[in-house]
Amino acid sequence: MIRRFARPYAKAIFEVTGSPEKANALRAELEQFEQVRKGATDLQELYANPGFDFAAKSGVTQSIAGKLGLSELAGKVLDVLIRNHRINELRGIVDGLAEMVRNATGTLAAEVRAAQPLSNQDVAQLRQTLEKKFGRRVEVNVTTDPDLLGGFVAKIGSEVYDASVHGKIEKFRTSLT
């Protein structure tokens, strides 16, 4: 679900790019910047501090964008977000854009929690299995959850597939009662 404030920004970005593929490429660039912004408390504070003017914030942003090799369009989007005091909300906007791209391309999103990091081959095999089951392209986002003893839990829409050790123990426990 796209957060209300993020919808107009995501929609504008989607429309400006002209195609789902270009929107997805821009989304990946904005995601790169978001990872840097999220990982640096001083950047979050800079963008939240009204004592720094637009020029200072934009200068820092464009410097980072240059080092990351972001496109001119990505830089312009970031400037708009700074001007409108939404740069610290970039995560929601990127998520909204990703959802719009998925809707336009008929792609499903799978959120997977795994006990251990999955190899590229494991992710590809999981994606292939899910695509076969749903008959649509699936975008897999894997996070590591140390609380899982083993296996994984995949969530696609409202459906949850629990292939974790804990889930198997629970199934066994309920079968005994």
Side-chain angles (χ1 to χ4, degrees):
M1 170 136 170
I2 302 174
R3 294 186 60 187
R4 200 174 96 192
F5 75 85
R7 185 178 307 277
Y9 291 100
K11 184 177 180 189
I13 292 167
F14 188 82
E15 290 174 356
V16 164
T17 57
S19 74
E21 295 77 20
K22 290 179 183 175
N24 201 38
L26 182 57
R27 180 204 55 81
E29 290 183 84
L30 295 174
E31 178 69 40
Q32 258 187 298
F33 184 85
E34 172 59 11
Q35 292 301 318
V36 171
R37 188 203 64 79
K38 181 182 171 187
T41 307
D42 53 342
L43 281 177
Q44 294 172 33
E45 292 171 0
L46 168 75
Y47 294 128
N49 188 337
F52 292 100
D53 65 356
F54 170 77
K57 293 176 183 179
S58 178
V60 169
T61 302
Q62 295 308 318
S63 175
I64 294 168
K67 289 180 181 169
L68 293 174
L70 303 185
S71 66
E72 183 180 340
L73 181 56
K76 288 179 180 180
V77 168
L78 294 170
D79 273 349
V80 168
L81 296 177
I82 292 167
R83 190 177 309 278
N84 294 331
H85 309 288
R86 289 294 189 192
I87 193 72
N88 279 337
E89 307 297 334
L90 184 56
R91 170 83 274 138
I93 295 165
V94 168
D95 289 347
L97 183 57
E99 186 174 318
M100 288 182 174
V101 168
R102 283 192 300 270
N103 287 341
T105 59
T107 303
L108 295 173
E111 297 297 322
V112 177
R113 293 181 302 125
Q116 300 172 21
L118 298 179
S119 70
N120 290 340
Q121 183 180 354
D122 291 338
V123 173
Q125 187 176 8
L126 177 60
R127 178 182 296 111
Q128 185 179 26
T129 301
L130 293 172
E131 287 175 348
K132 195 180 298 183
K133 176 170 179 41
F134 287 96
R136 292 169 61 184
R137 190 168 162 257
V138 176
E139 181 180 294
V140 179
N141 180 25
V142 180
T143 56
T144 303
D145 184 352
D147 291 338
L148 294 176
L149 298 174
F152 67 91
V153 177
K155 181 178 180 201
I156 299 177
S158 61
E159 294 186 46
V160 177
Y161 300 93
D162 191 345
S164 67
V165 172
H166 181 271
K168 290 177 182 180
I169 291 171
E170 285 301 312
K171 285 179 190 174
F172 182 68
R173 184 182 321 213
T174 57
S175 72
L176 293 175
T177 58

